[in-house]
Amino acid sequence: METLKRWIAESNRIVFFGGAGVSTESGIPDFRSVDGLYNQKFEYPPETIISHSFFRRDPEYFFRFYREKMLPLGFEPNITHKKLAQWEAEGKLSAVVTQNIDGLHQKAGSKRVYELHGSVLRNYCTRCHQFYPAEFIRDCPGVPKCACGGIVKPDVVLYEESLDAETLEKSIEAIQAADLLLVAGTSLTVYPAAGLIRYYRGDRLVLINRDETPYDGYANLVLHQSLGSVFSQL
C-alpha cells in the first residue's frame, strides 16, 4: 500500500482500467464469480443469450434475460468510482477505461470514460437510430419497439460483435501515454479488452484483484484485495 500511495502521489497521467469487480461493491453482480451470471442456471448459457446471433434469433428471450440480469438501474457509485472522479478533477487521472456497462463512473463525476463494451444507458432503434433511455427498455413489455417499428437495441457489445473502433483507439492512446496504469476488478480473461494493458509502456503497472489473473507476473505491483479496502486507504 505504501508503494501504491507513493506512485499515485508521483503520477499525473494515471489511467484506470477496470472490470466488473469495480461495481460489485455497488451491488451489481459480476459474471464469473461463484455467484456470477455464468454460474446461474438458465435455459441457455449466458454467453449464448447475450450473443448477436441469439439477439437476432430470439429477441424476446434476450430482453427477458437482459432486463432481469443486465439492466443495473438504481445503483450508486462506490468509493472506487468516487476516488477516480476526484483524481480526474485534480488533474491526476487522464482516463478511465472500463469493461462495465453500468455508467457508474460518469454518475460519480468522471468525464473521460472509455466504455469498451458500451452502456445500458444508450439504446438505439436498429432501423432509424432514434435514441431511447434505459428506462424505456426496462418499462417496455416484450421486445422494445420504436415508433417506426424497429427493435430498440441496447448500445452494449454482444458476443460476436466488434468493439467500437474509436473507443478502442482512444483507450490505447491513453494507456500508452500513462505514467501509472491501475488495472482493477477484472479477471483479464476477456479479449480483446484484456490485451490492451500490453500497450502500457511504463514501469508502474498495478493489478488490484481478489483473485490471481494471467497478468500477475507481468505487473510491477499486485494486490489481492477488494477494491473497497484498497481505495478507502488512498
Side-chain angles (χ1 to χ4, degrees):
M1 278 303 301
E2 293 310 310
T3 301
L4 179 57
K5 288 177 182 178
R6 177 168 55 82
W7 285 2
I8 290 170
E10 295 171 353
S11 301
N12 293 300
R13 293 189 312 280
I14 300 170
V15 170
F16 180 87
F17 180 99
V22 178
S23 293
T24 51
E25 292 179 26
S26 289
I28 298 175
D30 67 2
F31 272 59
R32 288 176 171 77
S33 68
V34 174
D35 300 318
L37 282 182
Y38 284 168
N39 290 301
Q40 297 179 27
K41 301 303 178 194
F42 297 101
E43 203 172 322
Y44 307 94
E47 59 266 41
T48 297
I49 301 171
I50 53 176
S51 68
H52 180 79
S53 54
F54 190 93
F55 169 78
R56 295 282 299 262
R57 186 171 70 248
D58 193 347
E60 190 152 345
Y61 194 102
F62 170 88
F63 278 106
R64 196 159 72 241
F65 176 89
Y66 180 81
R67 288 188 189 96
E68 184 181 342
K69 299 296 181 184
M70 293 184 62
L71 198 53
L73 301 180
F75 292 90
E76 294 301 323
N78 58 53
I79 182 67
T80 302
H81 299 105
K82 293 172 183 175
K83 183 62 69 173
L84 293 170
Q86 176 191 324
W87 289 347
E88 183 182 11
E90 293 170 353
K92 292 186 68 62
L93 183 135
S94 55
V96 169
V97 180
T98 181
Q99 296 171 279
N100 294 338
I101 58 174
D102 51 46
L104 289 183
H105 285 293
Q106 292 93 326
K107 197 170 186 179
S110 290
K111 302 287 191 287
R112 192 172 292 114
V113 182
Y114 301 128
E115 297 170 306
L116 295 172
H117 297 152
S119 172
V120 300
L121 302 182
R122 299 188 301 270
N123 304 274
Y124 298 95
C125 173
T126 52
R127 184 182 294 173
C128 74
H129 308 294
Q130 171 73 33
F131 171 84
Y132 287 88
E135 289 78 11
F136 176 82
I137 302 287
R138 180 194 65 194
D139 299 336
C140 265
V143 179
K145 293 285 185 72
C146 176
C148 78
I151 294 176
V152 178
K153 179 184 179 291
D155 187 20
V156 298
V157 179
L158 304 178
Y159 284 99
E160 305 165 352
E161 294 181 342
S162 300
L163 302 189
D164 178 74
E166 184 180 354
T167 303
L168 201 55
E169 184 179 338
K170 289 182 176 178
S171 299
I172 291 170
E173 288 174 357
I175 289 170
Q176 286 176 331
D179 56 4
L180 169 62
L181 178 60
L182 286 175
V183 181
T186 172
S187 61
L188 292 174
T189 56
V190 176
Y191 287 85
L196 293 187
I197 69 173
R198 290 195 173 272
Y199 286 95
Y200 177 58
R201 296 167 173 169
D203 58 1
R204 291 182 171 181
L205 170 58
V206 181
L207 282 183
I208 307 169
N209 201 52
R210 288 181 312 181
D211 306 313
E212 292 183 6
T213 79
Y215 284 85
D216 281 14
Y218 188 69
N220 305 107
L221 182 64
V222 178
L223 294 106
H224 288 149
Q225 299 179 42
S226 71
L227 268 68
S229 65
V230 172
F231 273 78
S232 62
Q233 298 178 63
L234 298 176

